Amino acid sequence: MELSYWWILPLAAAAVGCAAWLSIRRRPQKVRHIAHGERLTALPAYQHALRQYRTRLVLAVVLGAVFLAATATAAARPTHRSTVQPEIRNRDIVLCLDVSGSMTSTDAAIAAVFQKLAGEFDGERIGMVIFDSSSVQLFPLTDDYHYATEQLTQAKDALDSGAGSFFDGTWNGEGSSLIGDGLASCVQSFPDTADGSPDPRRSRSVVLATDNFLSGEPVFTLEEAGALAISKNVKVHALNPGDLDYGDQPDQPGVQLRATAERTGGTYFTLDSPEAVPGIVQKVQETEATSYRAAPQAVVADTPAWPLGIALLAGTGMLVLGWRLDP
């Protein structure tokens, strides 16, 4: 424990000393003598009452001293100093969803999870990009969580129904599930500083959901998109419901997607069903939370509870004794 205004204690002690000295120096009160007063003071009842009075008077003095000491300590502002290492909450998250036909149920589950998470975010920014043969930014990185929740709700409804204008703009290219182009578009969604470098104050994550069934010739290969993510300090967390265990050969699609995600410092998950999405997203959130910690900070907190509590008890005792001493 530390005292912010420690100098109050010696001042209080000096004030008490001056008051005691003045009390001793004051003139004695005039006393009126009564004839044969010893007959009264010798009575057992009088002696008993006198002992009780003196005991209560001593208790009152002790409680008064405790009260003064406790209030002086509280006025000196006792504090507790500790060191904490808070979690950084200034993360940027881009949902990168492959909206080819086999992915709609998984995408809807991801949108539903982040729809709920958006209401709990504090400092994070979230954006969303959808792709098939071409990419469309559904909404940019934002910390307007009400807006993000509205957009995610609309996305979930459209993905559940599988129809509507939601998918417009994702079929402008040739082929389907052009994963490299989609991932590159998502990585480019993160803003850079004025000198073109990533903002070191914010962590960057892409949640990539794709069945990994490439059909066509993308501009960016998956490996090139992964290299772009590394250059921009973006972690890729890949969710793949299409990994049907073709083996661990380097040329297998699942192995390549896993390698790309892990090279960026991210993670790779296979999905047995859309119901597994909430648990996987939670793991991604935990990974991000433990990966970014702020520098240790000294925290000073006031701790006046115990001196004020003692003062309250002592004051209550003084009131009770004052009532008992009242003739």
Side-chain angles (χ1 to χ4, degrees):
M1 184 193 73
E2 301 177 4
L3 296 177
S4 299
Y5 309 126
W6 58 269
W7 44 266
I8 289 180
L9 294 183
L11 286 180
V16 171
C18 289
W21 181 77
L22 291 174
S23 177
I24 294 173
R25 293 274 299 177
R26 70 180 180 178
R27 294 180 181 180
Q29 296 180 352
K30 294 181 179 181
V31 178
R32 292 184 178 182
H33 297 280
I34 301 176
H36 306 294
E38 68 278 1
R39 295 180 181 178
L40 175 63
T41 57
L43 293 174
Y46 181 90
Q47 293 293 329
H48 177 70
L50 182 61
R51 284 193 299 270
Q52 283 189 334
Y53 179 82
R54 288 174 175 173
T55 300
R56 292 168 185 167
L57 193 60
V58 170
L59 284 175
V61 172
V62 171
L63 289 174
V66 171
F67 179 82
L68 288 174
T71 52
T73 302
R77 192 180 174 185
T79 58
H80 174 72
R81 187 182 298 271
S82 60
T83 301
V84 299
Q85 191 175 10
E87 176 188 344
I88 292 178
R89 303 287 290 176
N90 54 344
R91 292 179 285 175
D92 289 346
I93 304 171
V94 170
L95 304 184
C96 192
L97 306 185
D98 177 356
V99 291
S100 58
S102 62
M103 285 296 299
T104 53
S105 59
T106 299
D107 292 340
I110 293 174
V113 170
F114 278 93
Q115 174 190 350
K116 296 178 181 178
L117 288 177
E120 304 171 2
F121 283 162
D122 180 18
E124 291 98 334
R125 295 187 302 188
I126 186 172
M128 186 172 178
V129 174
I130 58 176
F131 70 92
D132 192 0
S133 61
S134 57
S135 302
V136 174
Q137 185 179 64
L138 192 65
F139 61 94
L141 283 169
T142 180
D143 57 4
D144 184 344
Y145 303 127
H146 178 71
Y147 169 73
T149 300
E150 287 183 346
Q151 295 297 311
L152 288 165
T153 301
Q154 294 176 12
K156 176 183 178 300
D157 293 342
L159 289 164
D160 281 334
S161 64
S165 61
F166 175 77
F167 301 95
D168 290 352
T170 61
W171 303 315
N172 293 340
E174 295 182 0
S176 177
S177 294
L178 303 185
I179 305 161
D181 290 351
L183 178 56
S185 297
C186 295
V187 171
Q188 295 286 17
S189 299
F190 295 97
D192 292 329
T193 58
D195 60 0
S197 61
D199 187 350
R201 296 170 300 178
R202 305 190 70 88
S203 66
R204 299 174 161 195
S205 304
V206 165
V207 177
L208 171 65
T210 176
D211 57 12
N212 207 26
F213 291 147
L214 174 63
S215 176
E217 293 293 332
V219 176
F220 283 84
T221 66
L222 181 59
E223 185 175 337
E224 290 171 341
L228 180 64
I230 294 173
S231 70
K232 290 183 171 291
N233 292 337
V234 177
K235 290 185 177 182
V236 178
H237 301 281
L239 285 66
N240 180 11
D243 191 339
L244 303 178
D245 191 19
Y246 291 116
D248 55 1
Q249 290 78 12
D251 60 341
Q252 293 299 326
V255 174
Q256 292 177 351
L257 183 57
R258 177 190 292 271
T260 298
E262 292 179 349
R263 271 199 305 270
T264 66
T267 50
Y268 177 84
F269 300 94
T270 59
L271 292 178
D272 296 329
S273 67
E275 285 72 23
V277 168
I280 290 175
V281 172
Q282 181 180 357
K283 291 179 182 178
V284 170
Q285 291 288 89
E286 291 172 352
T287 300
E288 288 295 301
T290 55
S291 296
Y292 296 92
R293 293 284 175 175
Q297 299 177 359
V299 177
V300 179
D302 290 335
T303 55
W306 65 269
L308 291 179
I310 293 174
L312 177 62
L313 293 175
T316 303
M318 291 171 62
L319 289 175
V320 172
L321 285 174
W323 174 72
R324 296 296 299 271
L325 288 173
D326 187 10

